Amino acid sequence: MEKSLASKDLNISSESYISDDASLEQQGSPEPALKRSLKARHLAMISIGGVIGQGLFLSSGANLYQGGMALLAAYSIIGFVVFWVTFSLGEMATYIPVSGSFTIFCKRFVDSSFGSMIGYNYWACWSIITAAEFVALQLVMEYWTDAVPGWAWSLVYLVIIFALNLFGARSYGEAEYWFSLIKVLTIIVFIIVGCLISGGVIGYVLHSHICPDAGEVYGFKYWQNGGAFPHGALGVVNSLVLASLSMQGTEILGITAGESSNPQKQVPRAIRNVFWRILLFYLCSGKFVSLPESFWKHNMFSGGRTAAVSPFTLVFSKGSLASVSHIINAVILTTILSCANSGLYVSSRMLLALSQEGDAWHKLSYITRRGVPIGALICTALVSVVTFITSVIPGQALYQVLTSLAGISGFVTWFGISLAHYRFRKAFKAQNRDLSVLPLKAPWHPFGDLFDMFACIVIALLTGYSYFVPPNPVGLVGNYAGLILCAIGYGVTKLYTKSKIVPLTEIDLVTGAVHLESEEREQEKQAEPRYRRLWKRAISVFT
């Protein structure tokens, strides 16, 4: 049997998480620990918009230019993967709510070495993504002024985000709540405006000397005659990495469960709305960006503009709302800071989990009185700074490789979560345990896990095909080096530790589990009037 996690002080009683100041360790522990200070509203907003970053607001422009509606198809495919990954992780995280959850789950339910590899992969991934957000931030600030060097803006905002994380999970959650609220409202407004622009309601005749086709009813005319998929199925494949990078972070809910005041109630509520968030934020916004296609194609590459210009800003300009572009740019700035905030938070918690499990330097597991893993936080910030420095190297080849590695590593993480959940359910069956003790159950098991594992392998292998002919060393290394490093890391760790895959009958399903009988949960539901329960279910789609 895997080494018991009791030695890590991860036992959690059914009452230990109720108090706002309860720690991950047992009450009365003399050592500081993470605090369960994230409230229901924090988790709700984090799950809705906490991970929407520059991948949707900025980088989507380049993919729309190259592949058109292929990006929407890619969002749909990755959306299916993310939907089941989130439910699979949520099922395990609500039953065993610990910080750094899925690396621990991979250790306990699959193999110790496999869990270590997944943990380091995820930590490196989000350390790089955090740096990528600060690089994108320079482009946003250049929209207003170029008087200040780009690196100076990045440094200033890095210090601000680092300071936010120094005050603990409550500070992170509060900042993320308002960041996410701004993003959600902006996307909703954008979808409404995009619909009106596509129908010719906004922009009609106004400023026609500036925009000759203002007021034109676009509808779906640019999707006709092959315009929707100018590069066919290959365009979809090329868009998959960006789509995966844009949607990475939905697994943050599994990590925040360890610092949630009531994970059994708050996490399931947030996870059940994943479908609506994918539909609203990625598919609907992507659709209305792509309708007035000729406009953004022309504007992105004329007048010295680059593909990094936000298609959201350009669509507002198309509707004779150019003055709104400054507001949208400010929202994009908020979006980038939000994603960087989330990235620094989750990567530091993952490194903390690795340290507590003995896979990283033990000093990194030190936690302050505020519940901040200060060593892991500083180490993660330094890795992000080093990654950022590579962006100023002439040619940016190393930076491009690192950011591509981050996109591919998401598939490794999702594969690991799906495999851990598949064996988690198998262990329940092998040990004759009742599934009714689970606060949340993933739908359509085992189809979701099997589909995700298959899709992650196939997509990860296909995404770099275009770099073979003609050969592109930067693209090949960026798309496949991460997979090779993960395989080598797993193999070397396995040889060193001589770990073995845990037999289903020996998997530990007890340590850290929070038991709340199904009858008790049903009584809690029935305690409220029916109309109030229906109202809560309705508003939970948005909150």
Side-chain angles (χ1 to χ4, degrees):
M1 181 183 294
E2 282 289 299
K3 180 174 59 178
S4 173
L5 293 182
S7 61
K8 304 298 179 184
D9 290 322
L10 290 173
N11 290 299
I12 305 173
S13 68
S14 58
E15 293 84 15
S16 66
Y17 60 81
I18 300 300
S19 171
D20 290 347
D21 297 323
S23 69
L24 288 181
E25 299 179 357
Q26 294 176 332
Q27 297 296 319
S29 173
E31 297 182 2
L34 298 178
K35 307 293 183 182
R36 292 190 177 276
S37 54
L38 291 176
K39 303 297 184 181
R41 66 185 182 91
H42 295 145
L43 252 65
M45 273 302 168
I46 289 171
S47 65
I48 290 175
V51 296
I52 299 175
Q54 58 96 4
L56 177 64
F57 279 93
L58 282 176
S59 302
S60 57
N63 263 37
L64 282 169
Y65 180 85
Q66 297 172 0
M69 288 301 297
L71 183 59
L72 274 189
Y75 278 153
S76 300
I77 295 172
I78 301 300
F80 272 108
V81 175
V82 168
F83 177 82
W84 278 303
V85 163
T86 308
F87 266 92
S88 297
L89 179 57
E91 180 179 302
M92 296 184 290
T94 51
Y95 182 65
I96 307 176
V98 292
S99 185
S101 57
F102 51 83
T103 184
I104 295 174
F105 298 152
C106 288
K107 277 175 167 285
R108 292 171 64 173
F109 307 149
V110 184
D111 177 16
S112 174
S113 300
F114 183 74
S116 300
M117 181 272 290
I118 291 294
Y120 272 109
N121 170 75
Y122 192 75
W123 171 70
C125 166
W126 271 99
S127 297
I128 293 171
I129 290 177
T130 301
E133 297 298 329
F134 287 115
V135 173
L137 186 146
Q138 299 177 28
L139 299 171
V140 175
M141 299 307 297
E142 287 174 1
Y143 187 87
W144 288 311
T145 179
D146 56 2
V148 179
W151 63 266
W153 288 118
S154 298
L155 181 61
V156 168
Y157 285 113
L158 173 60
V159 172
I160 293 174
I161 295 300
F162 184 82
L164 280 175
N165 279 266
L166 280 178
F167 290 98
R170 184 66 179 270
S171 174
Y172 156 75
E174 199 64 39
E176 204 55 43
Y177 176 83
W178 294 105
F179 283 155
S180 298
L181 182 61
I182 292 172
K183 289 187 287 185
V184 169
L185 293 177
T186 300
I187 292 178
I188 292 175
V189 170
F190 171 79
I191 291 174
I192 295 172
V193 173
C195 183
L196 295 176
I197 291 175
S198 298
V201 178
I202 294 180
Y204 189 73
V205 177
L206 297 176
H207 304 297
S208 58
H209 63 285
I210 298 176
C211 187
D213 57 342
E216 182 178 352
V217 179
Y218 296 100
F220 297 90
K221 73 174 188 176
Y222 290 115
W223 292 11
Q224 300 172 5
N225 302 319
F229 297 93
H231 302 293
L234 300 183
V236 177
V237 175
N238 286 332
S239 300
L240 288 173
V241 172
L242 176 61
S244 67
L245 187 61
S246 299
M247 290 191 182
Q248 277 187 43
T250 50
E251 65 282 344
I252 286 179
L253 283 175
I255 296 178
T256 56
E259 293 180 81
S260 167
S261 61
N262 195 335
Q264 282 196 312
K265 292 181 179 179
Q266 296 167 2
V267 175
R269 178 185 175 186
I271 286 177
R272 287 191 180 102
N273 298 321
V274 166
F275 170 79
W276 300 106
R277 289 157 201 154
I278 294 173
L279 180 67
L280 176 66
F281 299 140
Y282 293 100
L283 299 185
C284 289
S285 60
K287 172 185 175 182
F288 289 114
V289 162
S290 64
L291 289 179
E293 182 179 357
S294 64
F295 174 78
W296 55 257
K297 273 193 174 185
H298 171 74
N299 281 270
M300 276 190 180
F301 290 88
S302 63
R305 292 180 183 266
T306 69
V309 173
S310 171
F312 285 69
T313 303
L314 296 176
V315 167
F316 272 95
S317 299
K318 178 60 176 175
S320 302
L321 299 171
S323 58
V324 181
S325 62
H326 292 285
I327 298 177
I328 297 300
N329 207 54
V331 171
I332 295 173
L333 173 62
T334 302
T335 296
I336 292 175
L337 293 177
S338 169
C339 196
N341 187 37
S342 294
L344 196 58
Y345 169 81
V346 297
S347 52
S348 63
R349 266 53 179 184
M350 182 56 68
L351 186 57
L352 170 66
L354 289 169
S355 177
Q356 290 177 332
E357 288 293 299
D359 295 324
W361 188 33
H362 68 280
K363 294 289 186 180
L364 297 177
S365 61
Y366 174 74
I367 300 174
T368 67
R369 294 290 178 183
R370 288 183 174 270
V372 179
I374 187 66
L377 184 63
I378 293 175
C379 183
T380 300
L382 289 176
V383 171
S384 296
V385 169
V386 171
T387 304
F388 167 75
I389 291 174
T390 65
S391 68
V392 301
I393 298 176
Q396 294 192 337
L398 181 57
Y399 175 73
Q400 292 173 16
V401 167
L402 291 175
T403 51
S404 295
L405 288 176
I408 296 298
S409 68
F411 294 117
V412 178
T413 298
W414 294 341
F415 176 86
I417 293 172
S418 299
L419 179 58
H421 180 255
Y422 180 77
R423 287 181 55 81
F424 172 75
R425 279 290 193 94
K426 285 283 188 181
F428 253 81
K429 184 177 181 180
Q431 298 178 23
N432 296 316
R433 292 181 177 272
D434 189 354
L435 293 177
S436 65
V437 301
L438 297 175
L440 175 70
K441 297 183 184 67
W444 300 353
H445 178 81
F447 172 77
D449 292 331
L450 296 175
F451 171 79
D452 277 2
M453 287 188 284
F454 174 78
C456 286
I457 293 173
V458 172
I459 296 173
L461 293 176
L462 284 180
T463 49
Y465 82 96
S466 61
Y467 297 111
F468 283 99
V469 180
N472 184 329
V474 173
L476 289 173
V477 172
N479 278 271
Y480 295 111
L483 298 177
I484 296 173
L485 288 174
C486 285
I488 293 175
Y490 174 53
V492 170
T493 305
K494 196 169 180 64
L495 289 174
Y496 179 77
T497 61
K498 296 180 173 58
S499 65
K500 296 182 180 179
I501 295 179
V502 186
L504 295 176
T505 56
E506 297 180 11
I507 286 178
D508 181 8
L509 298 173
V510 177
T511 303
V514 181
H515 294 282
L516 188 62
E517 298 301 327
S518 57
E519 293 83 357
E520 185 178 344
R521 291 197 298 270
E522 189 61 29
Q523 289 175 2
E524 289 181 356
K525 292 180 181 179
Q526 297 300 331
E528 290 185 335
R530 181 178 178 81
Y531 74 90
R532 291 193 63 183
R533 286 185 279 120
L534 291 175
W535 170 249
K536 285 185 176 181
R537 182 175 298 180
I539 65 173
S540 67
V541 172
F542 303 100
T543 62

